[in-house]
């Protein structure tokens, strides 16, 4: 089976979040299932630089070329279109913040190139299936639906329903779709153009990244306006939890760590903890060290955490936070660090290496998200013996076994889960974690139970492979 994946980022080439981790790791896991994946990415400067000796295989539009090559361990097709993608800053936002004003044109071009590739019209043989990731790729199933001839089936994976790619109706004529596409039974969304909505309508299957999130997006509270469409397509929607790439995320081999270790040598983590203390200006002691690695946004519950910082410090804890995002939240955490010197340390920015050291040395990773489609940092925490303290939502609920009395006694607890996402509930979870941390045997038991869990892509890739086969066989 040959699959063309369409995405706007892929680790290690370009990453702003969990989407890149998934699109970077899934192809190798699917290869083991006999599925060959070619990934179409935008020609951002970093991707073109990594591509090396690529060959041009098609010219899908004026000023556009599709290049084929290999980089980052991936078989790639790259949409080289300098007016659209040769810019500084983030894939989605201008350096000063704010979405690029032409995002509709940029990602429509990507999706259209994906559909051409899928149909064998862009220099590579026809593919058996197109796998679109998130709104940036979600028009591809629409382009396929309106193309003539034998239809290439498609699957849309929704990594986060909060990002929908909505644009004013004036955008529509530039998309190159027939007028009849602009209806409720198409890409129209409350009078606007909806990229994610279109993909959800036209894809043969919709997947999301955990079973609990799949049920949450079918409700008005979790569906962000698209729950009706999810309910209408029930039976075509599946939740498959993300895996982790163990060639990148394993404490036994991780080159970023000052000290590598396994479940039998947890005491070696002390050297990594010391590195965190230095990096974040924290006092060196045996008190519980909580870590946070995240986008600083409302989704991630960071305002709630900011309010819980005094209680965390009062409970004897320390906090090391790595993140960037909302200016107000950045300011709140920088102020917290000033107010609690030696107890709270903050790094504003995106730092892949430092994030690895944090999982390798901190006692617990805090993930108080209001909603979380899957979440990856709790999975990295599990793998690294960095006990997750999570909100009981979405993929967090599906991947962490709360340390209630029964789970502790059975030796299966892997973390702490709390609800609702409020300052008192988060504070109670932090205090519960601090108390458990004082019981060295119970804590090490939780660390080891987490490290034993199978978080690999192997099983998950099997689920994707079965779903793809089901779609192709009709
Ligand atoms: P989301 O995709 O919603 O941001 P996920 O938990 O699914 O959340 O994935 C986030 C990914 O980005 C993880 O690999 C996490 O380690 C990484 N990450 C987030 N913020 C930072 C940061 N400031 N520095 C380094 N890595 C980060």
């Amino acid at each position: 089976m040959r699959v063309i994946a369409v995405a706007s980022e892929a680790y290690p080439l370009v990453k702003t979040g969990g989407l890149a981790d998934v699109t970077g790791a899934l192809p190798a896991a699917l290869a083991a299932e006999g599925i060959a994946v070619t990934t179409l990415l935008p020609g951002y400067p970093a991707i073109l630089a990594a591509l090396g000796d690529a060959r041009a295989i098609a010219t899908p539009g004026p000023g556009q070329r599709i290049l084929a090559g290999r980089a980052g361990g991936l078989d790639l097709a790259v949409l080289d279109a300098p007016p659209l993608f040769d810019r500084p800053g983030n894939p989605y936002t201008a350096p000063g913040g704010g979405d690029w004003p032409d995002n509709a044109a940029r990602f429509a071009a990507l999706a259209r190139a994906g559909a051409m590739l899928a149909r064998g019209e862009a220099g590579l043989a026809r593919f058996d299936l197109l796998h679109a990731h998130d709104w940036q790729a979600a028009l591809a199933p629409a382009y396929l639906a309106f193309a003539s001839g034998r239809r290439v089936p498609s699957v849309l994976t929704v990594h986060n329903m909060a990002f929908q790619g909505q644009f004013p109706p004036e955008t529509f004529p530039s998309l190159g779709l027939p007028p009849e596409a602009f209806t409720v039974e198409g890409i129209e969304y409350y009078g606007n153009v909806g990229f994610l909505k279109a993909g959800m309508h036209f894809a043969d299957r919709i997947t999301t990244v955990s079973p609990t999130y799949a049920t949450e997006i079918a409700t008005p509270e979790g569906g962000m306006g698209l729950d009706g469409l999810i309910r209408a397509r029930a039976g075509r929607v599946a939740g498959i939890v993300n895996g982790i790439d163990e060639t990148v995320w394993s404490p036994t081999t991780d080159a970023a760590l000052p000290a590598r270790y396994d479940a039998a040598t947890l005491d070696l983590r002390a050297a990594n903890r010391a590195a965190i203390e230095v990096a974040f200006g924290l006092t060196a002691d045996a008190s519980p060290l909580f870590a946070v690695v995240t986008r600083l946004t409302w989704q991630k519950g960071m305002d709630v955490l900011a309010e819980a910082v005094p209680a965390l410090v009062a409970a004897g804890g320390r906090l090391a936070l790595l993140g960037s995002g909302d200016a107000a939240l950045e300011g709140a955490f920088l102020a917290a660090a000033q107010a609690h010197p030696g107890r709270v340390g903050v790094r504003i920015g995106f730092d892949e290496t430092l994030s690895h050291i944090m999982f390798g040395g901190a006692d617990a990773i805090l993930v108080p998200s209001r909603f979380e489609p899957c979440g990856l940092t709790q999975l990295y925490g599990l793998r690294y013996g960095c006990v997750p303290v999570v909100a009981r939502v979405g993929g967090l609920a599906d991947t962490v076994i709360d340390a209630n009395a029964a789970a502790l006694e059975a030796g299966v607890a892997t973390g702490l889960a709390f609800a609702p996402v409020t300052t008192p509930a988060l504070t109670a979870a932090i205090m519960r974690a601090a108390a458990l941390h004082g019981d060295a045997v119970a804590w090490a038991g939780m660390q080891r139970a987490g490290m034993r869990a199978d978080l690999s892509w192997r099983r998950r890739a099997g689920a994707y492979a079965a779903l793809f086969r089901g779609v192709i066989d009709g």
Side-chain angles (χ1 to χ4, degrees), residues 338-366:
Q338 280 213 318
H340 304 282
R343 308 311 293 175
V344 176
V346 171
R347 283 282 196 98
I348 301 300
F350 196 97
D351 189 332
E352 189 80 21
T353 301
L354 183 59
S355 74
H356 283 245
I357 298 170
M358 293 170 75
F359 295 113
D363 295 302
I365 177 91
L366 290 175

Side-chain angles (χ1 to χ4, degrees), residues 23 98 133 140 250 286 340 353 368 370 401 461:
T23 55
H133 293 273
S250 172
H340 304 282
T353 301
R370 286 190 169 86
I401 302 175

Side-chain angles (χ1 to χ4, degrees), residues 138-350:
L139 273 195
Y143 286 117
L144 289 175
F146 288 101
S148 56
R150 194 151 64 97
R151 215 174 62 78
V152 177
S154 59
V155 172
L156 171 71
T157 295
V158 179
H159 296 263
N160 194 335
M161 199 67 132
F163 304 113
Q164 301 187 351
Q166 280 175 44
F167 301 97
E170 301 77 58
T171 317
F172 179 76
S174 67
L175 299 178
L177 285 163
E180 63 266 29
F182 194 61
T183 67
V184 181
E185 294 292 307
I187 81 166
E188 192 221 312
Y189 183 60
Y190 294 112
N192 289 317
V193 166
F195 277 37
L196 189 70
K197 188 263 170 158
M200 289 171 58
H201 180 80
F202 287 111
D204 294 273
R205 293 280 194 291
I206 302 166
T207 77
T208 187
V209 286
S210 70
T212 293
Y213 193 59
T215 60
E216 289 170 352
I217 58 177
T219 67
E221 301 75 48
M224 312 229 163
L226 287 168
D227 48 293
L229 182 50
I230 287 286
R231 288 194 298 277
R233 301 218 58 202
R236 306 270 156 186
V237 182
I240 303 174
V241 171
N242 288 333
I244 67 176
D245 184 342
E246 294 185 320
T247 64
V248 179
W249 294 99
S250 172
T252 55
T253 55
D254 191 331
L257 297 183
R260 285 171 281 283
Y261 59 92
D262 60 25
T265 56
L266 287 171
D267 48 334
L268 297 178
R269 298 179 87 250
N272 302 328
R273 190 171 60 232
I276 302 172
E277 287 160 352
V278 171
F280 286 88
L282 297 172
T283 47
D285 60 37
S287 66
L289 173 53
F290 293 92
V292 175
V293 180
T294 190
R295 293 185 286 120
L296 293 176
T297 64
W298 183 88
Q299 176 199 338
K300 302 292 182 179
M302 285 296 114
D303 51 324
V304 175
L305 175 62
E307 283 177 8
V309 165
L312 182 152
V313 172
R318 291 170 295 166
L319 175 66
L321 179 139
L322 168 63
S324 63
D326 294 353
L329 289 170
E330 291 181 355
F333 283 108
L334 289 170
Q338 280 213 318
H340 304 282
R343 308 311 293 175
V344 176
V346 171
R347 283 282 196 98
I348 301 300
F350 196 97

